[in-house]
Amino acid sequence: MKHFVLVAGNIGAGKTSLTERLGTQLGWQTAFESVVDNPYLSDFYQDMGAWAFHLQVFFLGHRADQHRQLANSHGSAIIDRSIYEDAEIFARAAMELGTITERDYLTYRRVFDLVVEHLPRPDLLIMLNAPVDVLVERIRARGREMEKGITPEYLQLLEDLYSTWMAGFDLCPVLTIPTHDLDFVHKPKHLEIVIERIHDKLAGKEEVQFPDD
């Protein structure tokens, strides 16, 4: 059976690592967040006020195209980062920080709503969680120049917005994965557990638990 899955979560939560491994293990098509070839991301982290609106518009077009193509593909597919996070998390954060005005946010949101109204719904959203201090260490460890300006306070703001978003999310089933407890990068057993839980959730099992170890 064909499945269309989205991976969501804060910066440094492990979205790309999980998407890569699921694509390899399950033979699913993959798509990733535009980082290296993003014309605005580096400028955004240096001067959020000047580039926040430009970045959001770029991501809207980029992710809508990804979403549409993979949702309509012949096989199962998984995307690193969902289009819904653009409006519910990052654009809202920009408005709260004052880097996007309320006027610009409402303009962006109007276009966003028109775009997503016509996109196919995903079959599953995988939500990756990790404490902010863990996210900070991961971001530092990967050493991306453009991410040097990310602060713990910004990550906490995003965490709070994720909590609010998840509380009202009803587009599809959600599988929440604690990535600080599960090391699916270095421990094959942990990846097997994640894959098993994904299959359970896609099969309609509501209560999906992860072991403490």
Side-chain angles (χ1 to χ4, degrees):
M1 181 182 293
K2 172 186 170 182
H3 301 295
F4 177 48
V5 177
L6 304 177
V7 181
N10 208 333
I11 303 166
K15 297 178 301 299
T16 300
S17 296
L18 181 61
T19 301
E20 289 174 343
R21 283 154 181 80
L22 291 178
T24 299
Q25 291 292 319
L26 300 175
W28 289 1
Q29 296 181 65
T30 57
F32 298 91
E33 184 173 21
S34 179
V35 175
V36 176
D37 60 342
N38 188 312
Y40 296 107
L41 196 58
S42 180
D43 289 327
F44 168 72
Y45 284 133
Q46 295 300 317
D47 188 347
M48 292 184 177
W51 296 102
F53 185 77
H54 302 74
L55 182 69
Q56 290 306 134
V57 172
F58 171 82
F59 272 135
L60 178 58
H62 170 73
R63 279 198 248 275
D65 189 47
Q66 275 188 338
H67 189 115
R68 179 182 53 79
Q69 287 190 32
L70 269 73
N72 294 326
S73 64
H74 295 297
S76 293
I78 184 168
I79 298 181
D80 165 19
R81 178 82 73 198
S82 74
I83 189 172
Y84 308 109
E85 290 162 271
D86 286 344
E88 301 295 344
I89 310 302
F90 293 96
R92 285 185 182 275
M95 185 172 64
E96 289 200 23
L97 292 170
T99 53
I100 287 181
T101 66
E102 182 177 2
R103 179 183 63 177
D104 285 347
Y105 174 78
L106 293 175
T107 298
Y108 163 81
R109 185 68 198 223
R110 189 175 300 114
V111 176
F112 173 88
D113 290 341
L114 288 170
V115 170
V116 299
E117 180 183 359
H118 301 287
L119 292 178
R121 290 193 176 199
D123 299 308
L124 177 67
L125 180 83
I126 300 174
M127 179 66 201
L128 305 186
N129 284 340
V132 167
D133 60 334
V134 173
L135 300 176
V136 169
E137 287 305 313
R138 289 177 181 171
I139 292 168
R140 287 175 179 168
R142 65 191 185 191
R144 293 176 184 165
E145 184 68 26
M146 68 180 66
E147 293 181 342
K148 285 185 176 180
I150 297 176
T151 65
E153 292 76 18
Y154 180 62
L155 294 172
Q156 186 59 59
L157 171 59
L158 299 183
E159 277 297 298
D160 295 342
L161 290 170
Y162 272 110
S163 296
T164 300
W165 177 48
M166 283 290 95
F169 184 84
D170 60 359
L171 282 174
C172 67
V174 176
L175 175 64
T176 301
I177 299 177
T179 66
H180 56 294
D181 291 331
L182 287 168
D183 185 358
F184 45 74
V185 174
H186 302 104
K187 296 181 179 180
K189 179 182 177 182
H190 286 192
L191 181 60
E192 291 174 8
I193 292 171
V194 170
I195 291 174
E196 181 181 341
R197 299 302 185 271
I198 289 171
H199 286 316
D200 287 344
K201 202 70 177 180
L202 287 169
K205 295 183 181 180
E206 288 301 319
E207 296 299 325
V208 177
Q209 299 292 329
F210 284 95
D212 293 334
D213 181 28

